Amino acid sequence: AAARAGAGPCPNRCPWQVTAEQLRARGNALFQAGDHGAALATYTEALSLSDAVSERAVLHRNRAACYLKLEDYTKAEADATKAIEADGRDVKALFRRSQALQQLGRLDQAVSDLQRCVSLEPKNKAFHEALRALGSSMHEKMKAMCCTDSKVEQMFQILLDLDEKDADKKQKAAQNLIVLAREEAGAEKIFQSDGVRLLMQLLDTAKADLMLAALRTLVGLCSGHRSRTMAILEELGAPRLAAVLGVEHEQVSLAACNLLHVMFDSLKEGLQKDFRGKQDAVVLDSSKDLKLLIKHLLELLVLEGASAHGRDNALNLLIKVVPRKSPKETNNSLSLWVIDQGLKKILEVGSTVCGSSGSLPVTENSRMSASVLLSKLYEDLKCDAERENFHHLCEDYVRSWFEGHELPGKLRAIQTVSCLLQGPSDAGNRVLELEGIMDSVLSLCASVCEAHQLVAVEALIHAADKAKRASFITANGVNLLKEIYKHSERDSIRIRALVGLCKLGSAGGTDFSMKQFAEGSTMKLAKQCRKWLCNEAIDAGTRRWAVEGLAYLTFDADVKEEFVEDKAAMQAMFSLAKSEDRSVLYAVASTLVNCTNSYDHEEPDPQMLELAKYAKQHIPEQHPKDKPEFVRRRVRKLLTAGVVSALACMVKNENPALTNSCRELISRVFLALVEEAEDRGSVVAQGGGKALIPLSLEGTEVGQTKAAQALAKITITFNPEMAFPGERIYEVVRPLVSLLHLQRTALENFEGLMALTNLAGISERLRQKILKERAVPMIEGFMFEEHELIRLAATECMCNMAMSKEVQEMFLAEGSDRLKLIVLYSGEEDEKLRRAASGTLAMLTALHPPICKRIPQVTVHWLEILQGLLLSPSAELQHRGAVVVMNMMAAAREVAEQLIASEMLEILSVLAKDKDKP
């Protein structure tokens, strides 16, 4: 469909018979049509077929134009340079290189190229104008640099003056320094003025406010600038940065974490702001610096003097910078290096038993962060050999503690098992099967020491998650957990035992016919969970386990119904979700997914059901209270209780506990909350629209799609400018375009098209954003869709997109059937489709008169279709038809003559007298 819409009939020839010249002509047509990505690919293919120096130069010049449009200025400069090497008088290539150099910040070289253009074509006004504008820009930059010199010196003098007692003056100087570093001119000036040494002196003062100023200024210096980052790292040294990260002052540690993250990004990406002279810069190898920084972060994890939050920040950084961002990246060497050098150090944090002698200082989030990091590293492995190495290292570590260290060692080993079960569960299951581990867990569950019992019961709970172990634990652990629950005097132990029972009791999932416990037992467990959840006298870390229990028990629809009736329990859970203990996020999200039934469930095939009955296979049954009317009522009660603000808070605070699977669960809940149109305003008012944007851009593919669909539903029924105020509305475009991909469902395609239609009708800037996301070819493809609603939505979307000049030009592209399709659709029987197509035609003929001349050429039925619009019983269709005819009459004499030679004048005369249709 897209091929039919976008290009004309291809010549009947084999691919190897296409010449470079033909490919270049095809690339030119694609470029003119605004499809710069496809044009680039075509020029690249032509280059592979061409040997002629002059032809290759033209192709490189054309590719430079594509790269400029695609905003890849480094490649634009490289291609333009190749064209200039072939022909030094090629003014187009010189001009394009000057544009690229200007964007890369190399203004002196850009001026040199423009001066050459002017000398070659002195009468070209465009070159003169560009040179004048660039000269003005350089003057402003020089002026800013001169003005900055004295400011930098003055600010450092104030900050480093020990006799200066004016705190406000110091604070203002620090703030000015930070602001200055955010601008490229200011950052370069600070760097060139011995600023790094002076910032190092501020760090060495050990005063929190001065350290924060230094760290935040360094962030500005390093942002997007690899060469400067490498120089700063050389001067400061990785040990000093790691030491600052491990300080007790929480804000200073966080600022150091932010600086290190920026440094990692700059070292990894090597962005375009690198300073270069006239010659190409020397290629900088930053891999050694990366590994040096990571080595010190790993050492910080086991450093006794490091603070607990410093340790957390180090784990968070490793999670962000070590694993590959996408499976499409082939190089996982950094993860392999970290596993070899630091896996045991990460396990040291994960195996920490709070309160035991010699244990590392940790927060309530540290072990969860260690589990997430281990999980990310394990997921980043590509083959069985790499995974086997990971398993061996984990097993060796557990054995080293379990054998020969008496009870403290056994506790560390069991804590390690818990950490692995919460992270890479395959590795957790492997170590759980080591000789003696499970027996020790069961025996320690009966310990009289609360700390020992906590470790063992938690390990038993995490083991019960895994179906592989559930049958063993049901046989061996249920009675033990019941005994602990009934007879333990400590709430902290009882609540964990309860969660273990909850997990085992919910093994049947949503299947109503599979009950693990006796009738009523699940409800009793849920009631006790809600009671503990609402008891504020119990610490938050213990109450978190009550949410864990509900996450499993809410598979049962009776438990869901009771939970949404208990407003106090819902409020208590939402408060925990907003607290600093982020390890509760997954349990909260799971509970809400269960309550809203937002997991995937397909209707079984009736024939397969009959076969299953015949074969006496188990058939899952739906609980009567999981029917749509019950789900809708539960959603309303959650909305009333403030679920949206809790979800928004969960998304807002970046944390390792907010894993991709957790994001997916939250996206599912949001999609369920906006299912009914009347609820969408409430979701937006509580911050749901803002929270959905990051969910739609990061996470699992399923999670991103669910969030994008929720955004589409909001955009369809709610004013987008109110739902996504300011710049936020432009962030919504990419998620909506992602719904147009062919692997999405028909409903997702349809809702994506409708939402984009609304956005395209708002402003030219939004239409440009949609064009930049390459949505137009996909919209065209859907105009050929068999499903009438999708075809209609695509045509309506194209109608609004037709207000953009680039789209209007596409309808005149050589060999394109776009205009023909719109004219033919204006004569279809489906009135809604006719309305959308004729509206597009009216828009195109009004905004781009050359289209009027083309209409008679695209189909012999054009007059018949226009007359059909004018004679339609629908006033809207008549109005659209009249606008098209009026535009065509005004556009060209030959077109007007063809119209008047037909029966058009009589039809118009009749319509002009109709007083009912002014």
Side-chain angles (χ1 to χ4, degrees), residues 48 51 228 385 433 463 504 521 651 760:
S48 68
D51 294 322
R228 208 155 54 205
E433 287 163 10
L504 296 170
S521 296
V651 175

Side-chain angles (χ1 to χ4, degrees), residues 605-910:
D605 184 338
Q607 287 184 321
M608 294 304 291
L609 280 178
E610 289 303 316
L611 279 172
K613 285 177 188 174
Y614 179 75
K616 296 183 179 175
Q617 292 291 319
H618 173 72
I619 300 166
E621 293 177 25
Q622 187 187 40
H623 196 293
K625 291 181 181 175
D626 269 336
K627 289 180 178 173
E629 60 269 25
F630 285 92
V631 176
R632 277 197 293 273
R633 198 167 67 228
R634 289 201 294 266
V635 165
R636 291 275 161 78
K637 292 196 172 174
L638 286 166
L639 283 167
T640 307
V643 66
V644 177
S645 60
L647 290 170
C649 194
M650 288 162 73
V651 175
K652 185 170 64 178
N653 299 327
E654 190 60 47
N655 190 275
L658 190 66
T659 58
N660 286 344
S661 50
C662 187
R663 285 173 176 274
E664 183 185 316
L665 294 179
I666 295 170
S667 298
R668 287 177 181 278
V669 177
F670 267 123
L671 184 56
L673 295 176
V674 298
E675 188 60 41
E676 299 296 320
E678 58 265 34
D679 295 332
R680 293 168 196 171
S682 167
V683 171
V684 169
Q686 294 179 55
K690 182 181 178 182
L692 277 164
I693 294 171
L695 289 172
S696 66
L697 297 170
E698 192 179 339
T700 65
E701 189 176 350
V702 171
Q704 289 182 55
T705 305
K706 301 281 183 194
Q709 195 181 358
L711 284 171
K713 287 179 186 288
I714 290 170
T715 310
I716 290 165
T717 55
F718 206 79
N719 181 349
E721 290 175 291
M722 289 176 66
F724 312 106
E727 293 297 303
R728 204 173 294 151
I729 194 168
Y730 302 100
E731 295 176 50
V732 177
V733 174
R734 182 172 294 171
L736 295 180
V737 172
S738 74
L739 293 176
L740 304 188
H741 295 304
L742 292 175
Q743 64 266 37
R744 303 286 177 259
T745 66
L747 178 62
E748 288 162 355
N749 295 155
F750 174 68
E751 290 182 331
L753 287 165
M754 287 185 70
L756 286 169
T757 302
N758 283 359
L759 290 183
I762 291 172
S763 71
E764 178 58 23
R765 190 177 162 198
L766 272 167
R767 288 189 287 277
Q768 287 298 322
K769 177 71 176 166
I770 295 168
L771 274 165
K772 193 175 176 182
E773 293 295 336
R774 300 177 193 174
V776 172
M778 290 187 273
I779 296 166
E780 284 180 337
F782 285 117
M783 289 173 70
F784 291 95
E785 179 65 48
E786 286 183 20
H787 195 294
E788 58 186 34
L789 287 175
I790 294 179
R791 188 169 65 236
L792 171 63
T795 309
E796 287 177 342
C797 192
M798 187 58 77
C799 179
N800 282 355
M801 287 301 295
M803 288 188 271
S804 190
K805 187 78 174 170
E806 284 93 330
V807 178
Q808 294 158 22
E809 292 290 349
M810 289 179 193
F811 282 87
L812 288 175
E814 206 60 49
S816 163
D817 287 335
R818 294 180 179 96
L819 186 58
K820 181 179 180 179
L821 180 69
I822 291 294
V823 175
L824 291 174
Y825 274 179
S826 298
E828 283 283 305
E829 289 181 11
D830 181 346
E831 188 178 318
K832 287 181 179 177
L833 182 61
R834 283 180 81 190
R835 204 157 54 211
S838 56
T840 309
L841 207 54
M843 191 84 70
L844 288 168
T845 53
L847 297 172
H848 204 57
I851 286 174
C852 298
K853 295 182 186 178
R854 183 68 69 83
I855 290 173
Q857 300 166 21
V858 295
T859 173
V860 294
H861 303 293
W862 69 279
L863 265 172
E864 182 188 326
I865 289 167
L866 289 179
Q867 288 171 3
L869 288 172
L870 290 167
L871 294 170
S872 166
S874 163
E876 288 187 56
L877 289 176
Q878 287 180 308
H879 182 216
R880 285 161 167 75
V883 170
V884 174
V885 173
M886 180 178 73
N887 294 334
M888 291 177 73
M889 289 287 285
R893 183 182 180 87
E894 62 270 24
V895 177
E897 285 173 348
Q898 285 177 276
L899 286 165
I900 294 302
S902 70
E903 297 169 354
M904 195 62 75
L905 187 59
E906 295 170 41
I907 297 169
L908 290 169
S909 299
V910 172

Side-chain angles (χ1 to χ4, degrees), residues 303-549:
L303 192 69
E304 287 185 15
S307 64
H309 45 255
R311 196 165 276 108
D312 278 5
N313 287 332
L315 286 166
N316 294 354
L317 262 175
L318 290 166
I319 289 166
K320 287 173 184 172
V321 302
V322 174
R324 292 172 294 165
K325 293 279 186 288
S326 161
K328 291 176 186 173
E329 295 175 35
T330 54
N331 186 3
N332 68 339
S333 60
L334 202 54
S335 289
L336 295 175
W337 185 82
V338 168
I339 288 167
D340 287 337
Q341 300 292 318
L343 184 67
K344 292 186 177 179
K345 292 182 175 75
I346 299 164
L347 289 171
E348 281 288 308
V349 181
S351 68
T352 298
V353 179
C354 294
S356 63
S357 61
S359 64
L360 294 169
V362 291
T363 69
E364 63 269 19
N365 294 315
S366 301
R367 284 201 299 274
M368 173 59 80
S369 297
S371 293
V372 172
L373 176 55
L374 290 166
S375 182
K376 294 261 186 189
L377 290 171
Y378 188 76
E379 287 167 10
D380 210 29
L381 302 178
K382 296 194 291 186
C383 64
D384 289 344
E386 291 174 0
R387 283 184 276 273
E388 201 58 38
N389 176 54
F390 188 96
H391 289 310
H392 283 313
L393 288 169
C394 292
E395 287 168 11
D396 290 346
Y397 181 82
V398 171
R399 279 199 198 95
S400 72
W401 278 110
F402 193 73
E403 296 167 2
H405 278 86
E406 302 301 327
L407 185 58
K410 285 183 170 52
L411 288 169
R412 288 291 292 267
I414 293 169
Q415 191 76 290
T416 308
V417 173
S418 284
C419 177
L420 288 167
L421 285 167
Q422 284 181 283
S425 57
D426 287 348
N429 278 322
R430 281 272 292 260
V431 293
L432 197 59
E433 287 163 10
L434 293 175
E435 190 179 348
I437 296 286
M438 200 66 209
D439 293 335
S440 293
V441 171
L442 293 172
S443 63
L444 281 169
C445 280
S447 171
V448 292
C449 174
E450 182 179 3
H452 299 171
Q453 204 176 9
L454 278 174
V455 171
V457 172
E458 283 186 21
L460 194 62
I461 292 165
H462 296 311
D465 268 350
K466 318 302 164 198
K468 189 176 177 182
R469 309 291 316 170
S471 56
F472 172 86
I473 293 164
T474 304
N476 296 277
V478 171
N479 289 333
L480 178 60
L481 288 170
K482 282 181 179 177
E483 284 299 308
I484 295 169
Y485 175 59
K486 286 176 184 174
H487 301 118
S488 176
E489 295 176 3
R490 306 182 189 100
D491 277 347
S492 59
I493 300 292
R494 290 186 69 216
I495 200 166
R496 284 164 172 79
L498 175 75
V499 172
L501 291 170
C502 292
K503 287 189 177 186
L504 296 170
S506 63
T510 56
D511 185 353
F512 180 49
S513 61
M514 283 187 73
K515 294 286 184 182
Q516 298 292 315
F517 293 154
E519 191 68 39
S521 296
T522 306
M523 298 296 287
K524 286 177 186 173
L525 290 173
K527 189 175 181 181
Q528 186 59 54
C529 277
R530 296 203 312 275
K531 184 179 172 184
W532 268 321
L533 179 59
C534 296
N535 186 352
E536 292 187 7
I538 302 173
D539 67 281
T542 303
R543 286 162 64 216
R544 169 177 73 83
W545 286 94
V547 185
E548 289 270 354

